[in-house]
Amino acid sequence: MNLNYELAEQDLIAARQAVGQTIRYCVPADLSLTGRRIAGFLVIGDEKWAYIENGRVMDQRSIADGTDYKIIPLIGNAVLEAEIDHSKRIIARLTMQHAARYGFIAQILNDISAKRQIRIYNNEEEPICAKCGGTLIHGTRVCPRCMNKAAAIKRLFAVSRGHWKTLALGLTILFASSGIALVGPYFQKLLVNGALQPTDGSTDKGMFFLGIAGMLAVLVFGELLAISKSRIMAGVSSGIAADLRKMVFDKTQQLSLGFLTSQRAGDIMNRVTSDTDRIRHLIQELCTTAIFQLIMLVCASYLLFQADWRLAVVVLLPAPLVAYLHRYIWKTVLWKLFHKQWRVHDRANSFLHDVLSGIRVVKAFGKEEREIKRFRDYNSEFAAATVKSEKLFSILSPITNYLIEMGQYFVLLIGCSLILDKQMNIGELIQFSSYAAMVFGPIAWMMFLPRWVANAAISIDRVFSVIDEQPEVIDSERSGKLAIQGHISFRKVVFGYKTYEPVLKDINVEVKQGEMIGLVGHSGSGKSTLINLISRFYDVTDGEILIDGVDIRTIQQAELRSQIGVVLQETFLFTGTIMDNIRYSKPNATYEEIIQAARIANAHNFIINFPDGYDTMLDENGNNLSGGERQRLAIARAVLNNPRILILDEATASLDIETETAIQEALKRVTKNRTTIAIAHRLSTLRHADRLLVLEKGEVAEVGTHSELLEKKGIYYNLINAQRNMTKKQDQNDGKDQPVSVEITA
Amino acid sequence: MTASKAASDHETDAAKTTSDLSDAANIKYLTVSNATFKKTEGQMLSVKVDGEEHPAVYVHCSFPHTNRSIYLSIRTIENKEIGMIRSLDEFPAETAQFLEEQVSIRYFAPEITRVVSVKEEFGYAYWEAETTAGLCRFTVRGGGGHTKLVTANRLLINDVDGNRFVIPDLTRLTDKEYRMVEMSM
């Protein structure tokens, strides 16, 4: 990360005057307090900082005057604050573009102020495009400035290389069929001139049959070729689309959790399904209709000029003009109307989706009437928009089509007068007007080509943007395999989803093999983040996590995760049988292993009572099971692989006491001899933990056994007390004894 | 029971429920009489509430898009609420002004006055626009709701860095601008 920007000469002179000759750090402070973007810089020297703007020093101070330098992320901007003379003050304001930089700067200022050695974790590189040198957007590899639509389509063809044989065959047939289509009018002329109205007066039966046969042959062969062309092209385009879908899906499976959570699931699904389908459509249309139309246009106009250049000019000259008019009407009037109609339609649709999926809420609050009224409004709005656009369309569409065919009218006009003057015969006119008709279609069609290709190009963009996305967590070449025993150590671990906001600070913990650690702390204290780091869903910002003495960044991800069992609060079960779901973590598990895992998880007894036993088909996300049953299946799934490390993230939070007891019992069996890290909603769950780790604002505040921490009378003691008080209150209210279990958001 | 009696019963019931809610919510309101706001030398805000001094406080809006001068929450850096302000109108003009300043520092989203160009490529939209903060070029990730309507005609745009921009009224855009903006919505 660039923490030392180059200053312009004027600024540099001012900066040196303010902080001395050495400028150790210099970063932009590009926002004024009044909300203007400015070219300001914060300069840090050996002992002083200064704020420079347009060659003038606006503010300066000794760094040691201030303490507690801090970057405060606000909404859409951030400020650097410090405590100076016992009062807080804003030192600089900046746009979010530089917020991460200031995370480092604040740390540097604090270190200088406290006369510590500067420790900055500047391992974050700013990705730069190799070609143009511009900064790349985080997580992408392709520089958008150096890549254009043509390049996108080129890439598409690179993907289609695997299908080039069939593609070539399709194109050959395409050329053949356009050739045949062009012969058609010639036979028409033959028929008219040779048989129906011969120029020399003598009718020729042979010519007549030849003409008829030729026309029939054109018709039959043309259709046959069209059928095979469509079949081949459909095959090719579907094949390419399938390749793309596979590429996108593969990528979504490889990408890090960070990217996937930043995107809506529906959005990614769209890219896999509808965008690739649009691309398939593009290829199909491009390789059939577009090329065909182009050939027809070129050949037909050539033949027109061959036949009679005067008539050809009459036909072709107004064509672009008329076609432009046609397009203009579409673009300005009709497109807008239809677009509005679609938007209304979208709104009505999403309203419908909302209300129908929330029908229980609607009924519970008795708001049916209100929803009916709202739907009626949307409905009539949609109807009105449809009527309006259809009405206009019904008038404009014939007019524009008529305009396109105006040329035909002129051809007849001039052609007939030429025939009357004996400069042309009927056969030639018929041939000519057939060719003319072939010209208008492609011209009108091509007017819409740019918009249509642009739309498809957006789909290509969207698909490739996923394919090009780079996973944040990657295996290096050195990554190897490791049979995990279960010793975990955190060494000076610092981590933040955004580097300037560390969620975990300087975590130093040793977890012995087979030990059970309970993680306790308020929500947002970093517990879930800590366990995400063990599975390496994210990489640490600084420090290292070792398993059995090996840095987890040097273990292959799949290898690492397959040896860590995870049970989450939200259990997700896939559609399939109970057996399939348990077997998910180890597809080659034997029946016996599955039953063992289920028994350990206390799930065997309820499964065996089902009429279909382990073959019970689960509904979507196991909706035909109770919460406790689902949870126990999840535990069975986690232990089947016999992982040495087990992570329980609020695994029993959403269950009632009785079920929890059953699961507790299961867990006790499961955690034996396994390194277990558990986050629990209810503190009672963690009674059996060997040690408890209390996290507070991303730091380890307390470590010890349950009784040690109680003696210490710190945070844990307070949490337990709060729990007891609540239980007491509950008992008084209910007037009966209840087991000690109060929910503290841990 | 007569109809009018029933109606008056109903009214008292309604009054009772609202007071129940406010009891339960237990909102501490800051007024001219219990709170004194001061702008510090370092451009920050301090407040003295019932004799207790809070040297640095932050102003959060309940309705940053629809109304920025009502129901402001005054909070410490630890995100503890000191109290709420019902409306800035209750305070003298000078106090209201520096509270407003604090709001505009916290919620920074330049208004787009003219859209120069929006180009969409590879899942990102590249914007160039004249804004109240000057000419800005920024990149917006496509999809995932980075460009969204916060009211019927107010468009909020979040760029890749986390900067925010606002088009206050979509209907005031020219046709050309609207077409560019719409592509990325």
Side-chain angles (χ1 to χ4, degrees), chain A residues 126-190:
Chain A
E126 282 177 84
I128 288 173
C129 169
K131 208 162 154 195
C132 72
T135 45
L136 289 183
I137 291 148
H138 192 67
T140 61
R141 226 186 302 189
V142 182
C143 174
R145 276 176 295 269
C146 299
M147 190 144 181
N148 52 27
K149 292 226 163 74
I153 291 177
K154 225 190 253 169
R155 282 189 71 182
L156 186 62
F157 280 105
V159 174
S160 24
R161 239 187 329 219
H163 301 270
W164 72 269
K165 271 186 191 160
T166 29
L167 194 64
L169 179 67
L171 287 177
T172 318
I173 294 177
L174 182 67
F175 281 111
S177 75
S178 37
I180 283 190
L182 286 168
V183 188
Y186 173 73
F187 284 112
Q188 282 178 2
K189 187 184 93 175
L190 227 56

Side-chain angles (χ1 to χ4, degrees), chain A residues 36 81 90 96 144 343 461, chain B residues 42 58 108 122 126 132 163 178:
Chain A
R36 297 288 300 180
E81 280 185 15
I90 295 177
M96 296 306 277
R343 285 188 56 150
D461 283 359
Chain B
Y58 299 84
F108 182 64
F122 302 98
Y126 298 86
T132 47
N163 295 313
Y178 186 78

Side-chain angles (χ1 to χ4, degrees), chain A residues 31 33 35-37 72 75 77 81 89-90 93 95-97 137-138 140 144 147 336 339 343 461 465, chain B residues 42-44 58 77 104-106 108 121-122 124 126 132-133 139 161-165 175 178 182:
Chain A
L31 202 57
L33 281 176
R36 297 288 300 180
R37 296 250 181 148
I72 311 277
I75 317 288
N77 71 124
E81 280 185 15
R89 65 182 296 143
I90 295 177
R93 190 179 184 208
T95 63
M96 296 306 277
Q97 195 187 342
I137 291 148
H138 192 67
T140 61
M147 190 144 181
K336 240 193 218 163
H339 206 74
R343 285 188 56 150
D461 283 359
S465 73
Chain B
Q43 305 294 329
M44 297 190 52
Y58 299 84
I77 182 83
S104 61
I105 286 179
R106 180 175 174 79
F108 182 64
E121 296 212 31
F122 302 98
Y124 293 90
Y126 298 86
T132 47
T139 310
D161 293 312
N163 295 313
R164 293 150 71 93
F165 299 88
D175 272 3
Y178 186 78
E182 197 183 35

Side-chain angles (χ1 to χ4, degrees), chain A residues 656-673:
Chain A
D656 59 76
I657 305 293
E658 235 165 272
T659 328
E660 203 202 333
T661 322
I663 289 176
Q664 279 301 324
E665 204 186 284
L667 284 179
K668 228 159 114 186
R669 246 176 293 164
V670 168
T671 56
K672 209 171 164 191
N673 292 328

Side-chain angles (χ1 to χ4, degrees), chain A residues 389-449:
Chain A
S389 48
E390 290 295 334
K391 221 157 68 185
L392 207 70
F393 184 68
S394 66
I395 299 167
L396 282 177
S397 172
I399 292 178
T400 52
N401 282 335
Y402 181 72
L403 284 177
I404 285 284
E405 276 155 27
M406 276 292 272
Q408 289 278 44
Y409 172 77
F410 285 113
V411 167
L412 283 180
L413 188 77
I414 300 171
C416 288
S417 66
L418 284 176
I419 289 174
L420 291 177
D421 292 347
K422 301 262 186 254
Q423 286 182 22
M424 195 186 224
N425 57 46
I426 295 182
E428 278 168 0
L429 182 65
I430 287 180
Q431 186 193 19
F432 192 89
S433 63
S434 298
Y435 283 137
M438 285 180 182
V439 171
F440 293 113
I443 289 180
W445 191 84
M446 279 185 179
M447 286 292 145
F448 293 97
L449 193 65

Side-chain angles (χ1 to χ4, degrees), chain A residues 433-632:
Chain A
S433 63
S434 298
Y435 283 137
M438 285 180 182
V439 171
F440 293 113
I443 289 180
W445 191 84
M446 279 185 179
M447 286 292 145
F448 293 97
L449 193 65
R451 173 161 187 84
W452 179 72
V453 170
N455 271 342
I458 290 172
S459 286
I460 299 178
D461 283 359
R462 286 159 51 92
V463 167
F464 278 111
S465 73
V466 175
I467 293 176
D468 291 335
E469 197 79 29
Q470 197 174 14
E472 287 156 29
V473 177
I474 31 176
D475 281 335
S476 70
E477 283 166 17
R478 301 180 290 125
S479 302
K481 291 183 187 298
L482 174 76
I484 291 175
Q485 301 298 315
H487 183 100
I488 308 172
S489 54
F490 288 80
R491 300 229 173 118
K492 293 185 182 167
V493 168
V494 178
F495 175 76
Y497 296 98
K498 294 172 184 152
T499 40
Y500 53 91
E501 279 179 314
V503 182
L504 294 174
K505 300 162 206 160
D506 205 25
I507 304 282
N508 283 296
V509 178
E510 293 281 329
V511 182
K512 290 192 257 336
Q513 186 185 334
E515 199 179 16
M516 178 174 177
I517 297 283
L519 281 181
V520 185
H522 296 281
S523 55
S525 59
K527 301 181 303 296
S528 296
T529 307
L530 192 76
I531 57 174
N532 277 340
L533 289 184
I534 299 177
S535 297
R536 208 184 158 213
F537 288 132
Y538 302 93
D539 270 337
V540 293
T541 312
D542 193 57
E544 53 185 2
I545 297 173
L546 308 176
I547 291 183
D548 301 337
V550 178
D551 190 327
I552 58 169
R553 281 170 294 194
T554 62
I555 307 172
Q556 284 169 13
Q557 289 175 61
E559 176 81 4
L560 173 74
R561 289 178 197 150
S562 71
Q563 296 183 67
I564 298 178
V566 182
V567 184
L568 303 170
Q569 181 182 6
E570 291 291 323
T571 51
F572 190 91
L573 300 174
F574 294 99
T575 313
T577 63
I578 287 182
M579 187 176 70
D580 293 338
N581 269 288
I582 297 179
R583 200 148 64 173
Y584 192 76
S585 62
K586 189 182 177 190
N588 56 357
T590 61
Y591 291 121
E592 198 177 339
E593 283 175 313
I594 291 170
I595 293 173
Q596 282 167 355
R599 276 194 80 99
I600 294 170
N602 244 346
H604 179 68
N605 288 339
F606 78 82
I607 298 173
I608 211 80
N609 278 329
F610 285 147
D612 300 330
Y614 281 83
D615 293 327
T616 305
M617 198 69 189
L618 296 183
D619 291 351
E620 198 181 320
N621 196 17
N623 279 337
N624 46 349
L625 299 181
S626 75
E629 289 168 344
R630 277 206 297 272
Q631 196 61 266
R632 277 176 274 176

Side-chain angles (χ1 to χ4, degrees), chain B residues 18-27:
Chain B
T18 46
S19 71
D20 271 2
L21 267 186
S22 72
D23 281 353
N26 193 19
I27 297 173

